[in-house]
Amino acid sequence: MRVVRLLDTALDPAAELARFAAAHAGAGGLVSFLGQVRGGEGIEALDLRHFPPLTLPGIEALADSASARWRLDGIAILHRIGEMPPAAPIVLVAAAARHRRDAFSAVDYAMDHLKSDSWFWKREKRDGAWRWIEPRAEDGADLARWAPVT
Amino acid sequence: MRVVRLLDTALDPAAELARFAAAHAGAGGLVSFLGQVRGGEGIEALDLRHFPPLTLPGIEALADSASARWRLDGIAILHRIGEMPPAAPIVLVAAAARHRRDAFSAVDYAMDHLKSDSWFWKREKRDGAWRWIEPRAEDGADLARWAPVT
Amino acid sequence: MARLVFLGRLEDVAGADEITLPLAAPTPLDAVVAQLPAALARALGDPRIRVAVNGALVAGPALIAPGDELAFLPPVSGG
Amino acid sequence: MARLVFLGRLEDVAGADEITLPLAAPTPLDAVVAQLPAALARALGDPRIRVAVNGALVAGPALIAPGDELAFLPPVSGG
């Protein structure tokens, strides 16, 4: 099972994971990452923008590349776009594999690339004002953990 | 939130994860591992035995040790005991953290220790006959990934 | 006419997420940018900005034809 | 009396997951084991087997008192 979706309405992680687990009932291990809008620090909302011609194809290529690097029975990448309140689910990545290390690595890899190497622009609303989020210094280090496949 | 449970009836991963995610709505990242009884190869059932005076206290100590090694907002370890059919959920580990690397490491660490360093004995029923599962050579290597905290 | 699309913080500099620009004949990218307000043209000069023409990333000098969609993609937000 | 509990494959060797053994006075662990059928006593001699008395792991020689629960824990199954 290979699921890649961009959603402009609420993401229901429990339902999506239940569906994915049911489709991979014999897999042995299933790792998932759920990212939620952080609360606190005056954050009122997060707005996620994308560029349709590139964003979804980029995530599809990421799912393919994770599937090529590790032995997976399936991978799912679901990502929100648009405006979200604190605590709303933003991203769900799940991988099913016979050996749990493959599933852990694939989800970790997909998250590093989704966060730093995918066509998303984020802005935060704090105390009524929107502010764009810039790249972080750690992002390059996160990506450098994954040597290119040669 | 720190949840440690041994269950002798069905584990519902979607409901448990939804509860855990709701309790950690501001955490940023939530990693989970779900282990299911493998199908195929003539496997008809898995039976998981434990030793009550040691098994649950051992898992509680594991949850504490993961919480001490990484910055977590919460950890949940739910483990089945008893007889299960193929595809039944056996174990669910979830960790919530502000930084996703902490959550990934804590779940990976907990799984290595649950699998190789917890008081569980497993037997498999294949073609009508029960057979105890012995330790694997890789188990020591899995545990050696985690240097003792000094 | 060409359609110019601005992503991320470039939307704030441009004052809109997209604008249309009169364009009668194929024009080099830098000549298109030069027609924009100075502050926006300066922001678009950041070498980290990637350009997509009709949804495909281009590298190096590009010729923009009437009807093209030109998107300016600043560094993504990271995580 | 003492209660002996067998985990994992030791259950198959013992033929039961627990048995009771007459025990009138405190007895060293190895003397308790020596009273068992030969095949079981031999299996319990595996140095990888851990012993718990009344739910607590013991290391080295232990004295088993009447009423004690003695559990034999072979290596866990791994994963």
Side-chain angles (χ1 to χ4, degrees):
Chain A
M1 187 181 197
R2 177 181 167 290
V3 183
V4 175
R5 290 214 311 271
L6 282 182
L7 307 160
D8 58 8
T9 55
L11 164 60
D12 181 348
E16 298 292 347
L17 271 179
R19 207 179 346 256
F20 189 74
H24 296 286
L30 193 157
V31 172
S32 74
F33 177 88
L34 170 64
Q36 301 172 308
V37 179
R38 282 183 192 158
E41 300 169 30
I43 297 175
E44 291 158 24
L46 182 76
D47 184 23
L48 232 101
R49 304 292 187 86
H50 71 307
F51 181 57
L54 294 181
T55 309
L56 189 61
I59 300 179
E60 285 170 341
L62 177 59
D64 291 342
S65 129
S67 303
R69 290 178 81 115
W70 291 282
R71 273 182 101 91
L72 304 180
D73 292 331
I75 186 164
I77 304 180
L78 291 92
H79 212 293
R80 272 298 309 272
I81 50 176
E83 201 175 317
M84 289 157 272
I90 308 172
V91 56
L92 178 70
V93 176
R98 182 163 180 83
H99 299 290
R100 67 181 180 280
R101 196 84 60 226
D102 288 325
F104 272 111
S105 299
V107 175
D108 193 8
Y109 169 89
M111 280 309 306
D112 276 354
H113 286 78
L114 279 173
K115 288 279 188 170
S116 322
D117 193 30
S118 294
W119 297 106
F120 289 113
W121 295 268
K122 296 179 207 164
R123 46 178 207 158
E124 263 176 7
K125 192 180 192 178
R126 293 187 194 224
D127 308 315
W130 286 103
R131 191 183 58 85
W132 291 98
I133 300 174
E134 297 294 319
R136 307 172 313 153
E138 305 95 289
D139 296 332
D142 285 348
L143 291 180
R145 298 168 64 219
W146 310 101
V149 175
T150 51
Chain B
M1 187 180 197
R2 177 181 168 290
V3 184
V4 175
R5 290 214 311 271
L6 283 182
L7 306 160
D8 57 7
T9 54
L11 164 60
D12 180 348
E16 298 292 348
L17 271 178
R19 206 176 350 252
F20 189 74
H24 296 285
L30 194 156
V31 172
S32 74
F33 177 87
L34 170 64
Q36 301 172 308
V37 180
R38 281 181 192 159
E41 300 169 29
I43 297 174
E44 291 158 24
L46 182 75
D47 184 22
L48 233 101
R49 304 292 186 87
H50 72 308
F51 181 56
L54 295 181
T55 309
L56 188 62
I59 301 179
E60 285 171 342
L62 177 60
D64 291 341
S65 129
S67 303
R69 289 178 82 115
W70 292 282
R71 274 182 101 92
L72 304 180
D73 292 330
I75 185 163
I77 304 181
L78 290 93
H79 211 293
R80 272 298 310 271
I81 50 176
E83 200 175 317
M84 290 156 271
I90 308 172
V91 56
L92 177 69
V93 175
R98 182 162 179 85
H99 299 291
R100 68 182 180 278
R101 195 85 60 226
D102 289 324
F104 273 111
S105 299
V107 175
D108 193 6
Y109 169 89
M111 280 310 306
D112 276 355
H113 287 78
L114 280 174
K115 288 278 188 172
S116 322
D117 193 28
S118 294
W119 297 107
F120 289 113
W121 296 268
K122 295 179 207 165
R123 46 178 208 159
E124 263 176 8
K125 192 180 192 177
R126 292 185 195 227
D127 308 316
W130 286 104
R131 192 182 57 84
W132 292 99
I133 301 174
E134 298 294 320
R136 308 172 314 153
E138 305 95 290
D139 296 331
D142 285 348
L143 292 180
R145 299 168 63 219
W146 310 102
V149 174
T150 51
Chain C
M1 298 273 277
R3 199 156 65 92
L4 275 56
V5 175
F6 303 101
L7 277 299
R9 61 182 169 74
L10 295 177
E11 175 187 324
D12 293 352
V13 185
D17 59 357
E18 58 175 86
I19 61 174
T20 54
L21 210 66
L23 198 73
T27 309
L29 173 60
D30 51 5
V32 173
V33 169
Q35 296 175 38
L36 296 170
L40 180 55
R42 204 163 39 239
L44 297 180
D46 182 335
R48 297 176 306 158
I49 291 172
R50 305 290 304 274
V51 174
V53 177
N54 300 325
L57 291 170
V58 295
L63 210 57
I64 311 305
D68 279 355
E69 181 207 79
L70 189 53
F72 295 91
L73 315 170
V76 298
S77 295
Chain D
M1 297 274 276
R3 199 156 66 92
L4 274 59
V5 176
F6 303 102
L7 277 299
R9 62 181 170 76
L10 296 176
E11 175 186 324
D12 294 352
V13 185
D17 58 358
E18 60 176 85
I19 62 174
T20 55
L21 210 65
L23 198 72
T27 309
L29 173 58
D30 50 6
V32 174
V33 169
Q35 297 175 38
L36 297 169
L40 179 55
R42 206 163 39 240
L44 298 180
D46 182 335
R48 298 175 306 159
I49 290 172
R50 305 290 303 273
V51 174
V53 177
N54 299 326
L57 291 170
V58 295
L63 209 58
I64 311 305
D68 278 356
E69 182 208 77
L70 189 54
F72 295 93
L73 315 169
V76 298
S77 295

